[in-house]
Each structure stands twice: as structure tokens, then as C-alpha cells.
Amino acid sequence: MSMLNARSILVTGSNRGIGLELVKQLVEKSNRPEWIFATCRDPEGPGAQALKNLAAKHEGVVINPLDTCKPNSIKAAAARVTECLKGAGLNLLINNAGIVRPASMEDETPESMSEVYRTNVIGHMVVTQAFLPLLRKASRESPQKGMSCSKAAIINVSSEAGSITNLLGWEVGHSINYRCSKAALNMLTRCQSLGFAEDEILCVALHPGWLQTDMGNFEGILAPVKVDEGVKEILNTLACLSEKNNGTFVNIDGETLPW
């Protein structure tokens, strides 16, 4: 089995759920990254205590404030990461931060649609733009051929709920704002894959599965998969992605999903 061998990884939305579990499992790897940049909106708030406890135990876990809705916050985070890397590039950017505002077709509002789209789509776009120079540097200086998450990659955490073909979980919740944002994120990923192809930066939209997180469990319904089990599979899949997956939409097993 291929191994993820990235020197530096950045995870947005890392104070809870999938993001926090990614950081937890990355620090436990035998070939763990030298740098794990864990970002969230409010690192000093009570919602980030678990992340702070983790960083206190593990050298190389760097917590950075980053609000994906605030360009100045993103720019400042990129500057801090650049300083930490001391001339090296960033191998893997995991755009994980996301929100949902439960609503039916009748209840959906322009305000919630705009808020969710701003976080789940525009935020990912601006974060990627800010860290693109570091990703390009990692790709350019890597001895590896082709594309991989160990070399230079952008993983946009999407959802099969945004698949126009499948509409995962429609009978459970409509969540129009979330579904539309993930469909748009899939298109953004496809565009990034074309725009950054010459840089050999791998771009993939990932459906992480329906996991037991604050977002995954809603309206009294428990998600079918534990978050630690799901993230273990995600990391195994990230290690196996290559240029053949560039610009695709995959699940945690690496299988291609329909748009």
C-alpha cells in the first residue's frame, strides 16, 4: 500500500470533527509530517481546546487562526506558514472548513445561501489562492514524478449530498444551501485541476463519508460511520491518489463518484 509522505500539511477547520481527527491521526503516523498546520477561526475560544491540548503534546503541530470568510485572516495565515517553512513549500492543503444551515425548500433564505456559499466555496477558493505559491514551490522542488498528495495537492472536502446525480440523504434532510455549495465546490475543483495542471498540483474533491461529527449528526439522526474510522480510510486514500484522479470527485475508498 502507498504511504502518505508529505513533509507539510495544512488542514482548515481543524478544531473539531474531521479536521481535528485528521490532525490526531497525522501526528500518530510513523512517518508523520514535519509540519502540521491546523487552522480554525478562533484558536483561543473554548471550541478549540481539544486542538490546543493536542498541539501541546506534539511538536510540529502549529495552530493558526484562519477565517475562510476573511481575506485578511487568510493572508496573515499564509504569511505565518511561509515563515515557519523557511523556504520550503507546502505539500498538501486540505480545505476542510465548512458549514451547513438546515432548511427545507420552503424555508431556505438568501442570507443562509450566501453565508454557506461564502464559507464552503469562496473560502476554499481564496485559501487556495493564498497558499498556491507554497504549493507550486513544493511541486517544483520535489524529485517525484507525476502528481500525489506527498508532492503537492489540494483536497477539497466536498459531499455526495452535492452530487446532482445521487443527492445523498435527500430523504433525511434537504439542506439546499449545503448541497448547492458542494456542487459548486466540485466545479471549482475541476477548474483548479485544469488551471494548475502544468504546475503538477493534484486537485481532488473528496466525499469523506457520512461521519459522526457535529455536522454529520443532525435532527436526532446518528451518522453510520465513526469519525476515526472514516478518517483512517481518508488518509489511506490520500496516499494512493495520483494524476489519474486529478479533477475527479472520489469517496473515502478512492472510487469516482458521479457529479
Short mmCIF file of all heavy atoms in Angstrom, two decimals, residues 158-200:
data_model
loop_
_atom_site.label_atom_id
_atom_site.label_comp_id
_atom_site.label_asym_id
_atom_site.label_seq_id
_atom_site.Cartn_x
_atom_site.Cartn_y
_atom_site.Cartn_z
N SER A 158 -15.66 17.77 -0.06
CA SER A 158 -16.97 18.00 -0.63
C SER A 158 -17.99 17.09 0.04
O SER A 158 -17.84 16.73 1.21
CB SER A 158 -16.91 17.77 -2.16
OG SER A 158 -18.13 18.09 -2.76
N SER A 159 -19.01 16.68 -0.69
CA SER A 159 -20.02 15.77 -0.15
C SER A 159 -20.85 15.20 -1.30
O SER A 159 -21.17 15.91 -2.25
CB SER A 159 -20.94 16.48 0.83
OG SER A 159 -22.02 15.65 1.21
N GLU A 160 -21.20 13.94 -1.16
CA GLU A 160 -22.09 13.32 -2.14
C GLU A 160 -23.48 13.94 -2.07
O GLU A 160 -24.28 13.78 -2.99
CB GLU A 160 -22.15 11.82 -1.92
CG GLU A 160 -22.74 11.05 -3.09
CD GLU A 160 -22.67 9.55 -2.91
OE1 GLU A 160 -22.11 9.09 -1.88
OE2 GLU A 160 -23.18 8.83 -3.79
N ALA A 161 -23.75 14.68 -1.00
CA ALA A 161 -25.01 15.43 -0.92
C ALA A 161 -25.09 16.48 -2.02
O ALA A 161 -26.18 16.93 -2.40
CB ALA A 161 -25.15 16.10 0.44
N GLY A 162 -23.94 16.86 -2.56
CA GLY A 162 -23.89 17.82 -3.64
C GLY A 162 -23.84 17.19 -5.01
O GLY A 162 -23.73 17.89 -6.02
N SER A 163 -23.89 15.86 -5.08
CA SER A 163 -23.92 15.18 -6.37
C SER A 163 -25.28 15.36 -7.02
O SER A 163 -26.31 14.96 -6.45
CB SER A 163 -23.63 13.68 -6.19
OG SER A 163 -23.95 12.97 -7.36
N ILE A 164 -25.31 15.95 -8.18
CA ILE A 164 -26.58 16.17 -8.88
C ILE A 164 -27.21 14.84 -9.26
O ILE A 164 -28.44 14.71 -9.32
CB ILE A 164 -26.35 17.06 -10.12
CG1 ILE A 164 -25.90 18.45 -9.66
CG2 ILE A 164 -27.60 17.16 -10.97
CD1 ILE A 164 -25.47 19.38 -10.77
N THR A 165 -26.38 13.83 -9.47
CA THR A 165 -26.90 12.50 -9.81
C THR A 165 -27.46 11.77 -8.59
O THR A 165 -28.53 11.17 -8.65
CB THR A 165 -25.78 11.65 -10.43
OG1 THR A 165 -25.29 12.31 -11.60
CG2 THR A 165 -26.30 10.27 -10.82
N ASN A 166 -26.73 11.82 -7.46
CA ASN A 166 -27.09 10.97 -6.32
C ASN A 166 -27.88 11.67 -5.21
O ASN A 166 -28.70 11.04 -4.56
CB ASN A 166 -25.82 10.37 -5.71
CG ASN A 166 -25.20 9.32 -6.60
OD1 ASN A 166 -25.79 8.90 -7.58
ND2 ASN A 166 -23.99 8.90 -6.27
N LEU A 167 -27.59 12.95 -4.92
CA LEU A 167 -28.25 13.68 -3.84
C LEU A 167 -28.34 12.86 -2.56
O LEU A 167 -29.43 12.60 -2.03
CB LEU A 167 -29.66 14.13 -4.26
CG LEU A 167 -29.71 15.41 -5.07
CD1 LEU A 167 -29.70 15.06 -6.57
CD2 LEU A 167 -30.96 16.21 -4.76
N LEU A 168 -27.19 12.44 -2.06
CA LEU A 168 -27.14 11.62 -0.85
C LEU A 168 -27.98 12.22 0.28
O LEU A 168 -27.87 13.39 0.60
CB LEU A 168 -25.69 11.48 -0.38
CG LEU A 168 -25.46 10.75 0.93
CD1 LEU A 168 -25.77 9.26 0.76
CD2 LEU A 168 -24.02 10.94 1.41
N GLY A 169 -28.83 11.38 0.89
CA GLY A 169 -29.55 11.77 2.09
C GLY A 169 -30.70 12.74 1.90
O GLY A 169 -31.15 13.36 2.86
N TRP A 170 -31.23 12.84 0.68
CA TRP A 170 -32.34 13.77 0.44
C TRP A 170 -33.54 13.49 1.35
O TRP A 170 -34.19 14.40 1.84
CB TRP A 170 -32.77 13.72 -1.01
CG TRP A 170 -33.96 14.59 -1.33
CD1 TRP A 170 -35.27 14.20 -1.44
CD2 TRP A 170 -33.95 16.00 -1.56
NE1 TRP A 170 -36.06 15.28 -1.72
CE2 TRP A 170 -35.28 16.40 -1.80
CE3 TRP A 170 -32.94 16.96 -1.59
CZ2 TRP A 170 -35.63 17.71 -2.07
CZ3 TRP A 170 -33.29 18.28 -1.86
CH2 TRP A 170 -34.61 18.64 -2.10
N GLU A 171 -33.78 12.21 1.61
CA GLU A 171 -34.93 11.84 2.43
C GLU A 171 -34.71 12.20 3.90
O GLU A 171 -35.66 12.27 4.67
CB GLU A 171 -35.21 10.33 2.30
CG GLU A 171 -34.14 9.42 2.87
CD GLU A 171 -32.89 9.29 1.99
OE1 GLU A 171 -32.88 9.85 0.87
OE2 GLU A 171 -31.94 8.64 2.43
N VAL A 172 -33.47 12.45 4.27
CA VAL A 172 -33.15 12.79 5.66
C VAL A 172 -33.18 14.30 5.88
O VAL A 172 -33.68 14.80 6.89
CB VAL A 172 -31.76 12.24 6.05
CG1 VAL A 172 -31.38 12.67 7.46
CG2 VAL A 172 -31.76 10.71 5.93
N GLY A 173 -32.67 15.04 4.92
CA GLY A 173 -32.64 16.50 5.05
C GLY A 173 -32.33 17.16 3.72
O GLY A 173 -31.45 16.69 2.99
N HIS A 174 -33.05 18.24 3.42
CA HIS A 174 -32.85 18.89 2.13
C HIS A 174 -31.60 19.76 2.11
O HIS A 174 -30.82 19.71 1.16
CB HIS A 174 -34.09 19.71 1.78
CG HIS A 174 -35.29 18.86 1.53
ND1 HIS A 174 -36.54 19.39 1.28
CD2 HIS A 174 -35.45 17.51 1.49
CE1 HIS A 174 -37.41 18.40 1.09
NE2 HIS A 174 -36.77 17.25 1.22
N SER A 175 -31.39 20.58 3.14
CA SER A 175 -30.16 21.37 3.27
C SER A 175 -29.73 21.96 1.93
O SER A 175 -28.61 21.71 1.44
CB SER A 175 -29.03 20.51 3.86
OG SER A 175 -29.39 20.00 5.11
N ILE A 176 -30.60 22.72 1.34
CA ILE A 176 -30.37 23.25 -0.01
C ILE A 176 -29.07 24.03 -0.10
O ILE A 176 -28.28 23.89 -1.05
CB ILE A 176 -31.55 24.14 -0.46
CG1 ILE A 176 -32.88 23.39 -0.32
CG2 ILE A 176 -31.35 24.61 -1.90
CD1 ILE A 176 -32.95 22.10 -1.07
N ASN A 177 -28.81 24.88 0.90
CA ASN A 177 -27.60 25.72 0.85
C ASN A 177 -26.34 24.85 0.81
O ASN A 177 -25.40 25.13 0.07
CB ASN A 177 -27.57 26.69 2.03
CG ASN A 177 -27.81 26.00 3.37
OD1 ASN A 177 -27.01 25.19 3.82
ND2 ASN A 177 -28.90 26.35 4.03
N TYR A 178 -26.33 23.81 1.61
CA TYR A 178 -25.16 22.92 1.67
C TYR A 178 -24.97 22.16 0.36
O TYR A 178 -23.86 22.10 -0.18
CB TYR A 178 -25.35 21.94 2.83
CG TYR A 178 -24.19 21.01 3.07
CD1 TYR A 178 -23.03 21.46 3.71
CD2 TYR A 178 -24.24 19.67 2.67
CE1 TYR A 178 -21.97 20.60 3.96
CE2 TYR A 178 -23.19 18.81 2.91
CZ TYR A 178 -22.06 19.27 3.55
OH TYR A 178 -21.01 18.42 3.79
N ARG A 179 -26.05 21.60 -0.17
CA ARG A 179 -25.98 20.84 -1.41
C ARG A 179 -25.48 21.70 -2.57
O ARG A 179 -24.61 21.29 -3.35
CB ARG A 179 -27.35 20.25 -1.74
CG ARG A 179 -27.82 19.19 -0.76
CD ARG A 179 -29.20 18.66 -1.14
NE ARG A 179 -29.69 17.73 -0.14
CZ ARG A 179 -29.34 16.44 -0.06
NH1 ARG A 179 -28.48 15.95 -0.95
NH2 ARG A 179 -29.83 15.66 0.88
N CYS A 180 -26.04 22.89 -2.67
CA CYS A 180 -25.63 23.77 -3.77
C CYS A 180 -24.18 24.20 -3.63
O CYS A 180 -23.44 24.29 -4.62
CB CYS A 180 -26.55 25.00 -3.81
SG CYS A 180 -28.24 24.64 -4.33
N SER A 181 -23.75 24.43 -2.40
CA SER A 181 -22.36 24.85 -2.19
C SER A 181 -21.38 23.73 -2.56
O SER A 181 -20.32 23.98 -3.14
CB SER A 181 -22.14 25.28 -0.73
OG SER A 181 -22.12 24.17 0.15
N LYS A 182 -21.74 22.49 -2.25
CA LYS A 182 -20.84 21.38 -2.57
C LYS A 182 -20.81 21.09 -4.07
O LYS A 182 -19.77 20.70 -4.62
CB LYS A 182 -21.24 20.13 -1.79
CG LYS A 182 -21.04 20.27 -0.28
CD LYS A 182 -19.62 20.64 0.09
CE LYS A 182 -19.40 20.66 1.59
NZ LYS A 182 -18.01 21.01 1.98
N ALA A 183 -21.94 21.28 -4.74
CA ALA A 183 -21.94 21.14 -6.20
C ALA A 183 -21.03 22.19 -6.83
O ALA A 183 -20.28 21.90 -7.77
CB ALA A 183 -23.37 21.27 -6.74
N ALA A 184 -21.08 23.40 -6.29
CA ALA A 184 -20.21 24.47 -6.79
C ALA A 184 -18.75 24.19 -6.46
O ALA A 184 -17.85 24.46 -7.27
CB ALA A 184 -20.63 25.80 -6.19
N LEU A 185 -18.49 23.62 -5.29
CA LEU A 185 -17.12 23.28 -4.90
C LEU A 185 -16.55 22.22 -5.84
O LEU A 185 -15.36 22.26 -6.19
CB LEU A 185 -17.09 22.78 -3.46
CG LEU A 185 -15.73 22.34 -2.92
CD1 LEU A 185 -14.74 23.50 -2.94
CD2 LEU A 185 -15.87 21.78 -1.51
N ASN A 186 -17.39 21.29 -6.26
CA ASN A 186 -16.94 20.28 -7.21
C ASN A 186 -16.49 20.92 -8.52
O ASN A 186 -15.46 20.54 -9.11
CB ASN A 186 -18.05 19.27 -7.48
CG ASN A 186 -18.29 18.34 -6.29
OD1 ASN A 186 -17.49 18.31 -5.36
ND2 ASN A 186 -19.38 17.60 -6.34
N MET A 187 -17.25 21.91 -9.00
CA MET A 187 -16.85 22.62 -10.22
C MET A 187 -15.57 23.40 -9.99
O MET A 187 -14.69 23.44 -10.87
CB MET A 187 -17.98 23.54 -10.68
CG MET A 187 -17.61 24.42 -11.87
SD MET A 187 -17.05 23.49 -13.32
CE MET A 187 -18.64 23.03 -14.03
N LEU A 188 -15.43 24.03 -8.84
CA LEU A 188 -14.20 24.75 -8.52
C LEU A 188 -13.01 23.80 -8.58
O LEU A 188 -11.96 24.14 -9.14
CB LEU A 188 -14.30 25.39 -7.13
CG LEU A 188 -13.03 26.08 -6.62
CD1 LEU A 188 -12.68 27.29 -7.49
CD2 LEU A 188 -13.19 26.51 -5.16
N THR A 189 -13.18 22.61 -8.02
CA THR A 189 -12.09 21.63 -8.03
C THR A 189 -11.70 21.24 -9.45
O THR A 189 -10.52 21.14 -9.79
CB THR A 189 -12.52 20.37 -7.25
OG1 THR A 189 -12.95 20.74 -5.94
CG2 THR A 189 -11.36 19.39 -7.15
N ARG A 190 -12.72 21.04 -10.28
CA ARG A 190 -12.46 20.68 -11.68
C ARG A 190 -11.69 21.80 -12.38
O ARG A 190 -10.74 21.55 -13.12
CB ARG A 190 -13.80 20.44 -12.40
CG ARG A 190 -13.64 19.93 -13.82
CD ARG A 190 -13.37 18.44 -13.86
NE ARG A 190 -13.38 17.95 -15.24
CZ ARG A 190 -12.29 17.70 -15.94
NH1 ARG A 190 -11.10 17.90 -15.42
NH2 ARG A 190 -12.39 17.25 -17.18
N CYS A 191 -12.09 23.04 -12.13
CA CYS A 191 -11.40 24.18 -12.73
C CYS A 191 -9.97 24.28 -12.22
O CYS A 191 -9.04 24.57 -12.99
CB CYS A 191 -12.17 25.47 -12.43
SG CYS A 191 -13.78 25.59 -13.24
N GLN A 192 -9.77 24.07 -10.92
CA GLN A 192 -8.42 24.11 -10.35
C GLN A 192 -7.54 23.04 -10.99
O GLN A 192 -6.36 23.29 -11.26
CB GLN A 192 -8.48 23.92 -8.84
CG GLN A 192 -9.07 25.11 -8.09
CD GLN A 192 -9.28 24.83 -6.61
OE1 GLN A 192 -9.43 23.68 -6.19
NE2 GLN A 192 -9.33 25.88 -5.81
N SER A 193 -8.11 21.87 -11.22
CA SER A 193 -7.32 20.78 -11.81
C SER A 193 -6.81 21.15 -13.20
O SER A 193 -5.71 20.75 -13.59
CB SER A 193 -8.15 19.49 -11.87
OG SER A 193 -9.14 19.56 -12.89
N LEU A 194 -7.60 21.90 -13.94
CA LEU A 194 -7.17 22.35 -15.27
C LEU A 194 -6.20 23.52 -15.16
O LEU A 194 -5.20 23.58 -15.87
CB LEU A 194 -8.40 22.76 -16.08
CG LEU A 194 -9.41 21.64 -16.38
CD1 LEU A 194 -10.67 22.22 -17.03
CD2 LEU A 194 -8.80 20.58 -17.27
N GLY A 195 -6.50 24.44 -14.24
CA GLY A 195 -5.68 25.64 -14.10
C GLY A 195 -4.29 25.36 -13.55
O GLY A 195 -3.34 26.08 -13.87
N PHE A 196 -4.16 24.32 -12.70
CA PHE A 196 -2.88 24.05 -12.06
C PHE A 196 -2.21 22.79 -12.61
O PHE A 196 -1.25 22.28 -12.02
CB PHE A 196 -3.06 23.90 -10.54
CG PHE A 196 -3.77 25.06 -9.90
CD1 PHE A 196 -4.62 24.87 -8.83
CD2 PHE A 196 -3.60 26.36 -10.37
CE1 PHE A 196 -5.29 25.93 -8.22
CE2 PHE A 196 -4.25 27.43 -9.78
CZ PHE A 196 -5.11 27.22 -8.71
N ALA A 197 -2.70 22.28 -13.74
CA ALA A 197 -2.16 21.05 -14.30
C ALA A 197 -0.68 21.18 -14.65
O ALA A 197 0.13 20.27 -14.39
CB ALA A 197 -2.96 20.64 -15.54
N GLU A 198 -0.30 22.30 -15.24
CA GLU A 198 1.09 22.49 -15.63
C GLU A 198 2.01 22.57 -14.41
O GLU A 198 3.21 22.29 -14.51
CB GLU A 198 1.24 23.75 -16.49
CG GLU A 198 0.63 23.62 -17.87
CD GLU A 198 0.93 24.82 -18.75
OE1 GLU A 198 1.64 25.74 -18.29
OE2 GLU A 198 0.47 24.82 -19.91
N ASP A 199 1.44 22.96 -13.27
CA ASP A 199 2.22 23.02 -12.03
C ASP A 199 2.35 21.64 -11.38
O ASP A 199 3.06 21.48 -10.38
CB ASP A 199 1.57 23.97 -11.03
CG ASP A 199 1.53 25.40 -11.53
OD1 ASP A 199 2.60 25.94 -11.84
OD2 ASP A 199 0.42 25.98 -11.59
N GLU A 200 1.64 20.65 -11.93
CA GLU A 200 1.60 19.29 -11.37
C GLU A 200 1.12 19.31 -9.92
O GLU A 200 1.67 18.64 -9.04
CB GLU A 200 2.95 18.59 -11.49
CG GLU A 200 3.35 18.33 -12.94
CD GLU A 200 4.57 17.43 -13.07
OE1 GLU A 200 5.27 17.22 -12.06
OE2 GLU A 200 4.83 16.95 -14.18
#
